[in-house]
Amino acid sequence: MSTIHWFFSIGMLMLARGLAVSTLARLPVTSAIIYLGVGLFLGPAGLHVFSFDPIGQSHLLETLTEIAVLVSLFSAGVKMPVPIRWPRWVPALRLAWLSMSISVALVAAFSVWVLGLPLGGGILLGAILAPTDPVLATDVQVRHPDDRDELRFTLTCEAGMNDGSAFPFVMLGLGLLGVHELGEFGLQWLAVEVVWATFGAILIGALGGYAVGRVGWLLRGREPKHEVLDDLVGLGLIAVVYAVTVLCMAWGFLAVFAAGVALRHTELAASGAHKDGQGLLVPEAPPTNPAPNAQAPLSVSSESLVFKEHIERLSELTLVLLLGGMLTIQSWTWHTGLTALFLFVVARPLSVVLGLLGCGRSPRVTSMIAWFGVRGIGSLYYLMYAINHALPPDLARELSQITIAVIMLSILVHGLSVKPLLDRFWRRRKNNPG
């Protein structure tokens, strides 16, 4: 399609999504399914009005998915309840690191023994498919900064962290394929890409969020009144933290999530927020009879959140539409279907159950977490990253077919089940809180 046709197609989707928001909210499906349906209808599997080659356009697609994931991770970070309390965060940490590792190992074993991939290719496929997605999983994630729901918090926190925890396995897979240096006995990989890249990212992100939070609050307290453009400050924080972290050879995705968490904590602490019954910071209640010209205190974390959510919606629409243009009849093989089935029914549930052992999560919550491991834009980014780092062409084509088909099936399966299952979950919990 020409540029004008793209303007028309995406513009029509945006108009339809914006004007029919109430109608779509009542449908038992997610908006991603509608975007995917349009993409399939117009793409090679339908009318073939357009097609999109993920390998030929891998650099463009890596950049688009990178931006979408960064914005989504920052939004997730600023919605996290603060301060960090280990009893509350431990389940999400175990999901993001322990369950992630188990899932990668299971998919790698399946890939080697069933699909016939080399060990490096199996680990790489596991790393691509293991992370849950922060972009497409908005229906099961924290909805606003004061959301205290246990299920949504755990899924959001997991998605925020496992986009960083997957990267060491991506590099391990590339190393075993001979296109990345692991060092003798893998010591370089362990020291740099596991230890430093993880803890360095958290440190850089936390310092960046703290610094911007303090500077923004101090500027607002100056007289005469000092204005701050929250949207630009938020986007600038994402870009600077990500760039500095990558230059320091650490994981930028994890740093951006940490920056969002630190920014919100810093601004709440500076505003004199108090702790609620769970020990979490909550903003001070506004005065009952405010002065006529009084304005509520502003913060970068809250004021920029609406703009970030708009970017998330646009990214979801565009990338899922492109996904429909990547799918061809050749994408559907027994490899793709069997991999999706193994991931959804075996790898994800088993890794979640093992990762949450001893955490005190009820079987009902654990089963919901085990099912809603949505795969999406993050997996597409890791695939493009691997392709652009000298992944062998034949393996790149096979991994592309599997990954794209799995993402599409995840959008369909999870998108069709999320609203009915959540409605049933809330009703049962309301009737039986135990």
Side-chain angles (χ1 to χ4, degrees), residues 231-255:
D231 290 338
L232 285 182
V233 172
L235 290 172
L237 175 61
I238 294 172
V240 170
V241 164
Y242 184 66
V244 170
T245 306
V246 172
L247 289 173
C248 292
M249 300 179 65
W251 305 133
F253 285 170
L254 187 58

Side-chain angles (χ1 to χ4, degrees), residues 117-427:
L117 296 180
L119 179 59
I123 292 176
L124 180 58
L125 181 61
I128 290 171
L129 296 179
T132 54
D133 193 67
V135 181
L136 299 184
T138 52
D139 288 280
V140 292
Q141 291 186 357
V142 169
R143 298 172 181 174
H144 52 80
D146 296 321
D147 194 336
R148 298 291 190 264
D149 182 77
E150 174 190 34
L151 174 62
R152 288 196 291 266
F153 166 79
T154 303
L155 288 169
T156 308
C157 194
E158 179 198 7
M161 290 186 292
N162 67 15
D163 276 298
S165 60
F167 245 123
F169 294 105
V170 171
M171 307 312 295
L172 177 60
L174 292 174
L176 292 175
L177 290 170
V179 296
H180 178 70
E181 180 60 45
L182 298 177
E184 189 174 3
F185 303 112
L187 292 179
Q188 177 180 321
W189 170 79
L190 181 63
V192 175
E193 286 153 349
V194 177
V195 178
W196 159 248
T198 298
F199 292 101
I202 295 172
L203 176 63
I204 294 170
L207 289 175
Y210 171 79
V212 169
R214 290 297 302 172
V215 170
W217 198 262
L218 289 173
L219 287 175
R220 281 197 169 98
R222 290 173 52 183
E223 292 294 342
K225 184 181 178 182
H226 190 97
E227 298 287 347
V228 175
L229 297 178
D230 298 297
D231 290 338
L232 285 182
V233 172
L235 290 172
L237 175 61
I238 294 172
V240 170
V241 164
Y242 184 66
V244 170
T245 306
V246 172
L247 289 173
C248 292
M249 300 179 65
W251 305 133
F253 285 170
L254 187 58
V256 168
F257 177 74
V261 175
L263 174 66
R264 175 161 170 78
H265 178 275
T266 302
E267 292 186 324
L268 280 178
S271 67
H274 65 278
K275 290 187 177 182
D276 63 6
Q278 302 179 39
L280 301 174
L281 289 175
V282 293
E284 293 292 339
T288 306
N289 297 307
N293 296 323
Q295 292 185 350
L298 303 177
S299 63
V300 175
S301 57
S302 61
E303 295 302 309
S304 65
L305 191 56
V306 174
F307 180 64
K308 305 295 184 301
E309 290 177 345
H310 292 331
I311 297 178
E312 280 186 278
R313 291 194 188 99
L314 179 59
S315 300
E316 178 187 14
L317 186 155
T318 305
L319 292 169
V320 175
L321 181 65
L322 289 179
L323 186 67
M326 300 176 204
L327 285 160
T328 63
I329 300 300
Q330 290 72 29
S331 301
W332 300 108
T333 65
W334 71 269
H335 280 196
T336 59
L338 205 56
T339 303
L341 183 66
F342 179 81
L343 181 66
F344 299 158
V345 178
V346 179
R348 171 66 181 182
L350 184 57
S351 64
V352 168
V353 170
L354 293 176
L356 292 180
L357 282 177
C359 283
R361 287 291 189 264
S362 68
R364 206 182 333 173
V365 171
T366 300
S367 64
M368 293 292 286
I369 294 172
W371 176 244
F372 287 120
V374 182
R375 269 61 184 179
I377 307 306
S379 294
L380 202 55
Y381 168 78
Y382 286 121
L383 174 65
M384 296 303 107
Y385 180 91
I387 291 172
N388 292 329
H389 284 74
L391 191 65
D394 291 341
L395 184 59
R397 182 66 62 183
E398 184 171 6
L399 295 188
S400 295
Q401 289 181 347
I402 294 173
T403 301
I404 292 168
V406 168
I407 294 172
M408 194 216 72
L409 289 172
S410 179
I411 291 174
L412 290 174
V413 171
H414 294 117
L416 288 169
S417 61
V418 59
K419 291 186 178 180
L421 286 180
L422 282 179
D423 287 344
R424 182 183 178 189
F425 175 78
W426 303 133
R427 286 197 305 269

